[in-house]
Amino acid sequence: MLDGVYYGNMNREETERLLEKYGRDGSFLLRDSQSVRGALCLCVRKTPFVHTYRIEHSSQGWAVETINREKPQWFQSLEMLIECYRNLTPLNMVPLQYPLEKTCLNKEDYTHTKRLTYMEM
């Protein structure tokens, strides 16, 4: 399932453009973090914004980075994390409702010709 929503090395502007063009409130995708090597970003559209949550991986498994460094909930796999948050969304997150599958897009829309840099906050 996650192969279809994992977009790899994509920057924030490209992500926002894809979710705006093809998504709707609750559409989500995964991409590599531009600021933390090895981390992923879970990007979810909720008009008028795209919310980004950093996902960390460690020996404990996978977890969404929490606000105020609260203790995160760890999952054995990335698939388990996504499925859990699709079924029961924490109060501080936008609900994950519609995976933005690459197979539904034109290849040109998610291949990158130009790279911009930015810092995630």
Side-chain angles (χ1 to χ4, degrees):
M1 173 209 141
L2 295 183
D3 287 341
V5 298
Y6 173 67
Y7 287 74
N9 191 19
M10 177 184 288
N11 67 36
R12 180 179 53 112
E13 290 81 9
E14 292 168 323
T15 302
E16 290 173 355
R17 183 178 52 82
L18 278 179
L19 286 167
E20 182 179 310
K21 183 174 181 179
Y22 293 104
R24 54 187 166 169
D25 280 2
S27 292
F28 67 94
L29 61 83
L30 289 166
R31 65 174 174 79
D32 295 331
S33 171
Q34 299 289 295
S35 60
V36 177
R37 186 180 179 129
L40 296 175
C41 290
L42 174 60
C43 304
V44 189
R45 180 180 173 178
K46 174 111 170 95
T47 305
F49 302 107
V50 172
H51 298 264
T52 301
Y53 308 98
R54 186 173 297 131
I55 298 176
E56 17 180 328
H57 184 246
S58 76
S59 60
Q60 294 176 283
W62 298 87
V64 173
E65 194 172 274
T66 57
I67 299 173
N68 301 328
R69 294 291 186 197
E70 295 171 7
K71 186 176 179 182
Q73 181 176 0
W74 292 95
F75 296 88
Q76 292 178 359
S77 72
L78 189 54
E79 289 83 0
M80 291 174 72
L81 180 150
I82 297 295
E83 277 308 306
C84 178
Y85 290 149
R86 287 190 73 187
N87 294 317
L88 181 64
T89 307
L91 294 176
N92 62 339
M93 283 183 70
V94 175
L96 308 179
Q97 296 176 308
Y98 311 106
L100 190 65
E101 299 276 347
K102 288 189 291 190
T103 57
C104 299
L105 311 178
N106 295 324
K107 186 170 175 85
E108 302 81 45
D109 285 326
Y110 63 89
T111 53
H112 327 298
T113 56
K114 176 171 94 169
R115 288 275 161 225
L116 302 174
T117 58
Y118 74 101
M119 178 176 280
E120 292 173 10
M121 301 305 279

